[in-house]
Amino acid sequence: MHQTQQGGKAMKLSKVIAASSLALASAGSFAVSLGAIDLSSGSGFFGNTPIAGAFVDTLTFTVTTLATFNGSITSAVNGTQDVDFTSIVLTPGSLAFTSVLGDPVEVWAAPAVGFSLSPGVYTLTLTGTNSASMGSYAGNLALTPGSPTLVPEPESYAMMLAGLGLVTLLTRRRRG
């Protein structure tokens, strides 16, 4: 009987440990859906004050025709408040925003030329941590009908002209 009691206590202890581990693992970050944002007028504004600690916030929107997407998110700080993003990603496609300004006020943005999006439903996922005094963030998203217009960099023009000059030189050498 003594062995049975010890076996039962060990079984109960292992269940308690497993339950505690699950609870601690799920407390690591808290996912919140901010709902859908209507971009049918061309743009939309959103904001949130995430929980203290790790967070994952999501926001969805629908694209009805081929469009260029652009957007930026800025954290608001006051005193000891501090929102630190680790990533901001648009899916499907895993299109990543980049940090353009670091602490204390973070600014994350899509590339200047934007992302070309086909019709469909998209999710913006904001991942980061918030201070115990809980800072906030806000963002603006925009859709413009059509594909992004790519503007070549000056270096591209220089390489194109150098290549054209080289082809001209080689053509003249073969003729002469």
Side-chain angles (χ1 to χ4, degrees):
M1 183 134 170
H2 183 64
Q3 287 179 340
T4 307
Q5 286 178 340
Q6 283 181 341
K9 286 181 183 178
M11 183 73 103
K12 286 180 185 177
L13 184 59
S14 68
K15 286 182 182 180
V16 169
I17 290 172
S20 299
S21 298
L22 258 170
L24 288 173
S26 65
S29 66
F30 191 71
V32 171
S33 172
L34 302 178
I37 185 169
D38 181 6
L39 299 179
S40 62
S41 66
S43 67
F45 177 81
F46 67 96
N48 191 33
T49 301
I51 63 157
F55 68 88
V56 177
D57 291 350
T58 61
L59 179 73
T60 60
F61 62 91
T62 302
V63 176
T64 56
T65 130
L66 182 65
T68 301
F69 169 85
N70 237 309
S72 65
I73 294 98
T74 304
S75 65
V77 296
N78 183 17
T80 60
Q81 296 175 340
D82 188 21
V83 174
D84 291 315
F85 292 108
T86 53
S87 73
I88 299 175
V89 178
L90 183 64
T91 54
S94 296
L95 306 169
F97 279 52
T98 56
S99 174
V100 293
L101 184 64
D103 274 338
V105 177
E106 289 191 23
V107 177
W108 287 62
V113 296
F115 299 126
S116 180
L117 300 182
S118 300
V121 177
Y122 291 85
T123 300
L124 184 67
T125 303
L126 302 101
T127 306
T129 57
N130 200 356
S131 61
S133 52
M134 296 181 25
S136 300
Y137 65 83
N140 189 51
L141 306 178
L143 287 176
T144 307
S147 292
T149 304
L150 299 177
V151 179
E153 305 238 349
E155 294 85 5
S156 299
Y157 284 119
M159 284 178 49
M160 181 182 72
L161 289 173
L164 188 58
L166 185 61
V167 168
T168 303
L169 179 67
L170 291 173
T171 303
R172 285 186 179 174
R173 287 183 83 187
R174 285 188 180 188
R175 286 187 188 166

